Amino acid sequence: LLLLGTTGLVLLIACANVANLMLARMLRREREFAMRAALGARRGRLVRQVLAESVLLSAVAGAAGLGVAWLTLGLLTRFVARFTTRTDAIGLDPMVLGATLLVAVGTGLVFGALPAYATRADVLSSLKQGSLGALGGPRRLGRDGLVVAQVALSVMLLVGASLLLASLMRLQRVDTGFHSERVLTATAFGNFSKYPDVKSQLDLYEPLTERLNATPGIESAAITNAIPLVLQNPNETPFDIEVRASDPASRPKGDVNIASPRYFETLGIPVVAGRVFTALDHREAPRVVVVNQSMARFWGEKNPIGSRVSANNGDTWWTVVGIVGDVRQYGLDQAPNAQAYIPLAQMPVGLGAQVMVRGAADPATLARAVRDAVHALDPDMPVEDIQTLEDAKRGMLAAPRLTALLLSIFAGISLLVTLAGIAGVIAANVTQRTREFGIRVALGAGAR
């Protein structure tokens, strides 16, 4: 909608430019039209002549625009392919051709007719003029109004583009709460007919983390159900805090994620207080949970560490053992939400596992190592969606980057069109005031 509105504003600027130039052209031909009227041509005939000329010019311009669009279609497709896979939807179809024809002919009719009706019909006065007089009265106000409208729309587009670029720069600099450098992610969903319960999944994923952490070139590896900036839909769960009574209708909510022991180390999430998970947090050990700072605020002034929480109305209680920093889990433009992490070994239900590894060098070189580690445990398990966290971050910025770039291009085009229109109007104004300037020079005025 933003780009469609921007395109409409550029079209309005171009239309105002056309109207101004057509008005200047009509004024230069004022004596010609007066002569035609004196020879018997009716005003309607003159208007039809002007419309025929303007529609022809607009049709030629529309055809030229279609030609440029056809020539640059491949370039546009390759450019947009960096941000979306829907490049097959880009093309010049009958609807585009029809819209172009309608805009071209409509522009010629409307903005060619207005200047024709704006010119004066005083034949005698026009024929008596030895040269063109200065433009005055309502026509000058109309011309100046068009210039003002052009400049105003161009400034609005430039300001909008500047704001979008500023927002994009802020998004690029936003603190995600984790270190995305040198982290590779992948999806390794086990076949649920082969791994139907938590125990069978742990028999797969716990050896997988051990194998990955022992692989040369990998500094740390972890298993989770939610990689930051990859999933888009938080799953907030109401929970109870043991030390305080809460109304069931207004219980605090938090996003619950699964994390293996080296999860926070792999992502570089800082530990604010307490500890994070270790190998001692196995299935038979006391149930523990780590919360982030946003979730810790539900305790108010009290320290959450040592207290217990429950997400199933008190049937199971988890002891808070640590507080970690906030992470922008679901988008760079989304504020961090309350999050609770439970150990992989103590997960209550199965998960679609996602693997994260932090490499000592370029993480893209670790894709084969991740596949080999998975296939060593299960040769039939697919390893998909392999990408770096930096790629995921860039993917988050793809849409605003494309929008800001296109809006900047449109704003630049509108500025060029406006400058051309202003130059044309000033040139026409100087031409109409040649006699006046001659008198001023004769009275001693210099060129400056």
Side-chain angles (χ1 to χ4, degrees), residues 174-260:
V174 71
D175 182 13
T176 59
F178 59 90
H179 300 300
S180 58
E181 305 85 2
R182 298 184 287 110
V183 175
L184 184 75
T185 66
T187 299
F189 289 174
N191 189 324
F192 285 101
S193 62
K194 191 174 182 179
Y195 307 98
D197 52 27
V198 172
K199 183 180 183 306
S200 60
Q201 291 190 21
L202 288 177
D203 290 340
L204 170 69
Y205 293 128
E206 287 183 331
L208 177 59
T209 57
E210 294 175 3
R211 183 178 292 268
L212 288 172
N213 280 305
T215 300
I218 295 179
E219 293 182 350
S220 63
I223 298 288
T224 183
N225 67 323
I227 296 175
L229 304 182
V230 174
L231 296 178
Q232 301 298 317
N233 299 314
N235 184 21
E236 292 189 331
T237 303
F239 65 93
D240 297 300
I241 300 176
E242 187 179 32
V243 296
R244 81 174 194 188
S246 59
D247 182 2
S250 59
R251 291 189 298 170
K253 294 181 179 181
D255 193 23
V256 180
N257 293 327
I258 308 293
S260 65

Side-chain angles (χ1 to χ4, degrees), residues 104-126:
V105 174
T107 301
L109 287 174
V110 174
F111 293 95
L114 290 178
Y117 281 107
T119 54
R120 63 188 179 188
D122 189 350
V123 176
L124 183 61
S125 176
S126 297

Side-chain angles (χ1 to χ4, degrees), residues 83-114:
F83 308 102
T84 178
T85 58
R86 298 182 58 196
T87 54
D88 56 338
I90 301 175
L92 296 177
D93 56 18
M95 184 176 295
V96 174
L97 297 175
T100 303
L101 177 64
L102 181 64
V103 169
V105 174
T107 301
L109 287 174
V110 174
F111 293 95
L114 290 178

Side-chain angles (χ1 to χ4, degrees), residues 180-185 217-218 357-371 386-391 394:
S180 58
E181 305 85 2
R182 298 184 287 110
V183 175
L184 184 75
T185 66
I218 295 179
V357 296
R358 175 173 290 278
D362 183 7
T365 61
L366 300 175
R368 183 176 181 83
V370 172
R371 286 195 182 96
I386 297 179
Q387 64 174 339
T388 65
L389 266 186
E390 283 292 296
D391 290 337
R394 281 191 290 268

Side-chain angles (χ1 to χ4, degrees), residues 154-164 411:
S154 296
V155 169
M156 183 171 69
L157 286 179
L158 289 170
V159 170
S162 301
L163 290 175
L164 272 182

